[in-house]
Amino acid sequence: MRTQVAIVGAGPAGLLLSHLLHLNGIESVVLESRSRAEIEATIRAGVLEQGSMDILNEAGVGERMRKEGMLHHGFELAFGGRRHRVDLTELTGKAITVYPQHEVIIDLVAARLAAGGQLLFETSEVKLHEVDSAQPSVSFVHSGEAGRIVADFVIGCDGFHGVSRPMIPEGVREDFQRIYPFGWFGILVESAPSSDELIYAQHERGFALVSTRSPTVQRLYFQCDPQDKTGNWSDDRIWAELHARLEHNDGWKLKEGRIFQKGIIGMRSFVCAPMRHGRLFLAGDAAHIVPPTGAKGMNLAISDVKLLSRALAGFYRDGSRELLDSYSSDALKRVWRAEYFSWWMTRMLHSFADASPFERRMQRAELENVVSSRALRTALAENYVGDF
Ligand code: RFL
Ligand code: PHB
């Protein structure tokens, strides 16, 4: 089989790239190891920056997002027994939308299939070949048969554990990483939202986050030991922990409901540079990971493929390689700023077991500074809405 662009991975990065290329008259094939049902049901991110919404709208896949997504003009920072609002719209003129990642995936898969796009689900043994030659290829097994796609370019959108990044030789690639000594325990709860806006809470027992998925489903997280097991947490124990971290004396109460999903995620910061080797380009989690505290992961995946689709469109339109050559450094500029913001939010809001009493005071002073200073709140808001 021959195509112009072979894409590995049908997450937000791979699917959106395939669709943006299609809109530019460029053919692609997407290879995905999981089933359609599985990718459409995996619960992950929730927050979309304005810029991400703009791209989804421009790509013609924003209709349900505009209808069902919840526009948020601010969020709250809670610490020391009080809640403080960060008014995103007043500070930046922008807002964010809470629209679950799996809904974005559902919309993108539908758009790709409606346009006759080639998505191969449940492919196994995906291997990349000769990515630094003029004719890279990808071999795989699909429906019990071995196949091979020869392409002009191969794009690794296969997430952190994919096969693409290791194709950039170790001497060429530099990996930057920080693994945090905690994880997030995430639950989905059948109940109306406890709050109209997200609440990021710093507490001596650990961080907690109140988010939402729909008018009838809440998404709640709390900091935990990354090695812990969900089986150790009964519903009662989860609620006791969340109440302790989130409720103060101001009368606000966390709404309880049936917990219908529990999971623990590890937290890391990671960047691979460069994001290109020959005719292999990486986008999204394949190249970088941020801890979820800044809500940046899916947004970075989307901004990578925006850059990459323009670069590939330029190449196919008039043979220009300029944007392809600058893709890695262009993408990494934004990636490093998002890495900084996500690390900063994580450091400011989580409990570190080895922090000295002095460091704990500094953490509190930093939060006090942020909520007291319009300049610092503005910097926080600009980063959160993706104004960089
Ligand atoms: P994905 O979504 O991981 O998709 C990669 C796809 O590649 C497939 N794959 C392969 N296919 C073929 N062959 C192989 N060898 C393959 N290996 C892997 C996988 O099956 C998968 O379908 O990467 P992508 O597209 O780069 O998208 C990145 C985002 O998914 C990720 O950054 C976000 O979910 C991160 N994130 C958040 N981001 C935000 O912008 N806002 C948020 O509020 C937010 N909250 C979160 C998050 C991530 C979380 N978790 C679970 C890590 C909250 C959580 C809890
Ligand atoms: C979510 O709703 O899953 C979510 C929201 C904000 C974050 C991380 C995750 O910072």
Side-chain angles (χ1 to χ4, degrees):
M1 199 194 298
R2 154 120 212 128
T3 191
Q4 290 174 301
V5 181
I7 299 172
V8 186
L15 290 168
L16 180 60
L17 177 64
S18 174
H19 202 58
L20 292 171
L21 293 177
H22 160 73
L23 296 174
N24 280 284
I26 301 163
E27 188 188 75
S28 65
V29 178
V30 181
L31 300 171
E32 166 59 50
S33 53
R34 295 182 298 157
S35 68
R36 178 180 180 184
E38 233 179 308
I39 65 164
E40 291 188 343
T42 304
I43 304 296
R44 296 189 79 182
V47 173
L48 286 169
E49 296 167 355
Q50 181 70 54
S52 301
M53 291 188 291
D54 292 345
I55 299 167
L56 293 169
N57 280 324
E58 283 162 29
V61 293
E63 194 184 326
R64 238 163 37 92
M65 173 185 74
R66 287 193 300 276
K67 252 192 247 146
E68 294 171 26
M70 290 164 282
L71 200 62
H72 285 219
H73 294 285
F75 64 82
E76 291 186 347
L77 282 175
F79 61 92
R82 294 193 53 199
R83 290 185 291 141
H84 308 261
R85 183 158 191 267
V86 177
D87 190 328
L88 297 172
T89 305
E90 192 229 341
L91 293 165
T92 67
K94 294 196 174 155
I96 52 111
T97 289
V98 178
Y99 186 63
Q101 178 167 325
H102 68 275
E103 304 288 359
V104 175
I105 296 282
I106 290 170
D107 297 342
L108 283 166
V109 169
R112 287 313 300 125
L113 295 177
Q118 297 190 73
L119 301 180
L120 302 185
F121 292 108
E122 297 176 76
T123 52
S124 56
E125 295 176 46
V126 172
K127 291 193 185 78
L128 279 51
H129 306 274
E130 295 168 58
V131 294
D132 51 0
S133 77
Q135 270 218 334
S137 64
V138 184
S139 62
F140 58 91
V141 173
H142 183 249
S143 299
E145 278 183 35
R148 181 182 281 259
I149 299 174
V150 179
D152 299 330
F153 298 97
V154 175
I155 317 296
C157 298
D158 46 352
F160 185 67
H161 301 287
V163 294
S164 300
R165 190 176 63 253
M167 294 303 293
I168 304 182
E170 287 200 1
V172 174
R173 188 179 97 212
E174 195 169 1
D175 290 348
F176 303 84
Q177 170 154 265
R178 161 135 202 211
I179 297 176
Y180 297 88
F182 40 73
W184 278 14
F185 198 112
I187 59 171
L188 285 170
V189 180
E190 223 170 65
S191 83
S194 299
S195 162
D196 291 339
E197 295 183 336
L198 271 60
I199 304 173
Y200 289 83
Q202 185 266 338
H203 190 277
E204 62 196 19
R205 300 182 66 92
F207 170 76
L209 171 61
V210 177
S211 181
T212 176
R213 279 293 175 271
S214 74
T216 55
V217 175
Q218 289 195 87
R219 179 73 163 145
L220 306 173
Y221 297 99
F222 58 93
Q223 176 183 347
C224 67
D225 178 340
Q227 312 301 338
D228 210 340
K229 300 276 172 285
T230 53
N232 293 334
W233 288 81
S234 66
D235 291 5
D236 286 348
R237 186 175 172 213
I238 291 172
W239 288 120
E241 197 59 46
L242 283 167
H243 286 298
R245 295 187 191 186
L246 285 159
E247 285 170 6
H248 310 301
N249 299 323
D250 60 1
W252 180 84
K253 285 256 175 293
L254 180 68
K255 283 201 180 84
E256 292 192 15
R258 187 177 71 85
I259 299 174
F260 62 95
Q261 209 217 43
K262 299 178 187 176
I264 293 177
I265 56 163
M267 307 253 293
R268 76 170 81 221
S269 298
F270 174 86
V271 178
C272 152
M275 289 169 59
R276 170 201 185 167
H277 182 61
R279 287 184 169 239
L280 168 67
F281 292 77
L282 303 180
D285 279 15
H288 40 73
I289 295 288
V290 283
T293 329
K296 287 281 163 263
M298 173 167 52
N299 294 297
L300 281 179
I302 291 175
S303 61
D304 283 354
V305 300
K306 179 182 173 183
L307 288 174
L308 198 47
S309 65
R310 286 188 184 168
L312 289 165
F315 175 82
Y316 283 108
R317 198 174 43 241
D318 50 31
S320 156
R321 288 167 189 267
E322 202 183 321
L323 292 178
L324 285 174
D325 289 343
S326 66
Y327 166 71
S328 177
S329 60
D330 292 347
L332 283 167
K333 262 187 217 130
R334 187 179 167 84
V335 166
W336 277 117
R337 292 193 63 185
E339 290 285 347
Y340 171 75
F341 175 65
S342 307
W343 167 83
W344 177 70
M345 285 282 276
T346 301
R347 194 195 57 180
M348 184 166 68
L349 290 167
H350 288 74
S351 295
F352 289 78
D354 61 352
S356 67
F358 178 78
E359 285 165 332
R360 285 171 215 263
R361 292 295 173 125
M362 289 300 99
Q363 187 184 34
R364 172 58 60 85
E366 184 162 33
L367 279 162
E368 294 285 3
N369 265 338
V370 167
V371 299
S372 319
S373 153
R374 186 180 170 89
L376 290 179
R377 267 199 326 281
T378 305
L380 166 56
E382 283 172 355
N383 277 277
Y384 196 79
V385 301
D387 227 352
F388 54 81

